[in-house]
Amino acid sequence: AAKDAGRGRYRVFSDDLHVAARERNQLEEELRLAIDTGGLQLHYQPVVNTATEEISGFEALMRWNHPKQGWISPEKFVPVAEDAGLIVAMGEWAIRQACRDLARWPKSVRCAVNVSPLQFADPALPGVIADAIAKAGISPERLELEITESVFLDDSEGTDATFAALKAVGVRLALDDFGTGYSSLGYLKNAPFDKIKIDQGFVRGATMPGSRNGAIIAAISSLANALGMDTTAEGVETLDELELIRMHGCSHIQGYIYSKPLSTAEADARLAEGLKARPSGPRAAREPRQ
Ligand code: C2E
Ligand code: MG
Ligand code: MG
Ligand code: MG
């Protein structure tokens, strides 16, 4: 009986795998179609300068409005796109689209675009970026590429050459999700980053009594500052978090406290109101623990 039960379990597990694989294949096909038919969009989340409290730029975040499932999170479709090798074309589209949108916005406004490690490893990337910038007629330092430290897991000669080529194009480079991976200081020493983005995992809970996150945020900002780099604290949601981030010296803030990601039309309308930003949100996310 035990053996039968075991076999039964095995079959159920195996069926689940088949279902998951089928759903993934279907998602991949639908994603191919979305790419070809303009089904992807970029939404833009404001990034605010802590000192001036003005919008310094946006982060472009990819959105997919699926015909049946509605909005699908990039947390779900970006890994599918990476497995299927579609992320390179999607990433190129995002860079070109962001450059076109930048051309319409005030010159002080920058835009950051996320770059997958697979795109980063593509030798064509610096040329594609130079072409997108030239076609849009914008200055290169208005485009910022967000890269995660997983790019350093690849062969270091290729990585160094790509960094050099991107710097030669003149774009800015940001190290995304800092603190979630190896967070090696060697990366900061050797790679030409202009900005460190402190992962929202450190912001979340930072205002709770006894949290060590504030000390870590302060240390990362002072290190970045000493290295001549900016810092953006990601995922700032409450007034208490905002106050804490200001105290710990991050040069930029991104999060729902200022704005959720906006559609292109909403971003245009927001800029038409001027660059000044105002926080709006709750003082604390939760009641303090007893
Ligand atoms: P990320 O680059 O770290 O982007 C920040 C994420 O935090 C975004 O999620 C943003 O909507 C979310 N966020 C911003 N402020 C807050 C806040 O106050 N509270 C909370 N809870 N969340 C906040 P999103 O748009 O779902 O994107 C998730 C991830 O998907 C991104 O993380 C990035 O790794 C990836 N991604 C998005 N767009 C692209 C793209 O065009 N290319 C590539 N390769 N990856 C992308
Ligand atoms: Mg990012
Ligand atoms: Mg991030
Ligand atoms: Mg992230």
Side-chain angles (χ1 to χ4, degrees), residues 179-211:
T180 58
Y182 293 100
S183 306
S184 157
L185 299 181
Y187 304 151
L188 294 182
K189 187 181 89 175
N190 297 321
F193 289 110
D194 301 283
K195 176 183 266 191
I196 298 174
K197 299 196 75 178
I198 302 173
D199 191 73
Q200 53 176 287
F202 292 101
V203 175
R204 205 76 335 101
T207 53
M208 293 295 153
S211 171

Side-chain angles (χ1 to χ4, degrees), residues 59 61 114 146 176-177 197 234:
E59 177 177 20
L61 295 158
N114 291 284
E146 294 197 1
D176 203 358
D177 301 342
K197 299 196 75 178
E234 297 188 294

Side-chain angles (χ1 to χ4, degrees), residues 95-199:
I95 288 165
R96 291 186 184 280
Q97 187 60 45
C99 288
R100 282 191 292 265
D101 288 331
L102 270 169
R104 230 179 23 252
W105 295 337
K107 292 214 164 44
S108 71
V109 170
R110 297 198 159 105
C111 187
V113 179
N114 291 284
V115 170
S116 156
L118 289 171
Q119 268 181 287
F120 191 85
D122 175 10
L125 181 71
V128 164
I129 291 171
D131 183 65
I133 286 168
K135 287 214 169 89
I138 57 164
S139 47
E141 75 278 359
R142 295 180 64 201
L143 182 67
E144 187 166 81
L145 306 181
E146 294 197 1
I147 294 155
T148 57
E149 53 195 3
S150 54
V151 302
F152 297 107
L153 299 177
D154 268 7
D155 93 290
S156 65
E157 260 171 54
T159 304
D160 290 350
T162 304
F163 275 117
L166 293 172
K167 275 287 115 189
V169 172
V171 292
R172 281 168 54 99
L173 300 172
L175 182 53
D176 203 358
D177 301 342
F178 190 73
T180 58
Y182 293 100
S183 306
S184 157
L185 299 181
Y187 304 151
L188 294 182
K189 187 181 89 175
N190 297 321
F193 289 110
D194 301 283
K195 176 183 266 191
I196 298 174
K197 299 196 75 178
I198 302 173
D199 191 73

Side-chain angles (χ1 to χ4, degrees), residues 224-277:
N225 196 30
L227 293 169
M229 300 175 190
D230 290 340
T231 37
T232 297
E234 297 188 294
V236 179
E237 291 183 353
T238 68
L239 290 164
D240 289 343
E241 286 167 357
L242 179 64
E243 201 173 288
L244 183 119
I245 293 301
R246 286 176 165 283
M247 187 174 79
H248 290 317
C250 294
S251 65
H252 294 79
I253 289 160
Q254 182 180 347
Y256 298 167
I257 189 73
Y258 283 114
S259 175
K260 298 205 166 184
L262 306 170
S263 71
T264 312
E266 288 169 335
D268 287 356
R270 178 61 189 82
L271 289 175
E273 292 170 16
L275 295 179
K276 200 72 190 168

Side-chain angles (χ1 to χ4, degrees), residues 77-105:
F77 72 78
V78 167
V80 174
E82 285 177 332
D83 278 357
L86 296 169
I87 195 70
V88 175
M90 287 161 63
E92 176 173 344
W93 167 79
I95 288 165
R96 291 186 184 280
Q97 187 60 45
C99 288
R100 282 191 292 265
D101 288 331
L102 270 169
R104 230 179 23 252
W105 295 337

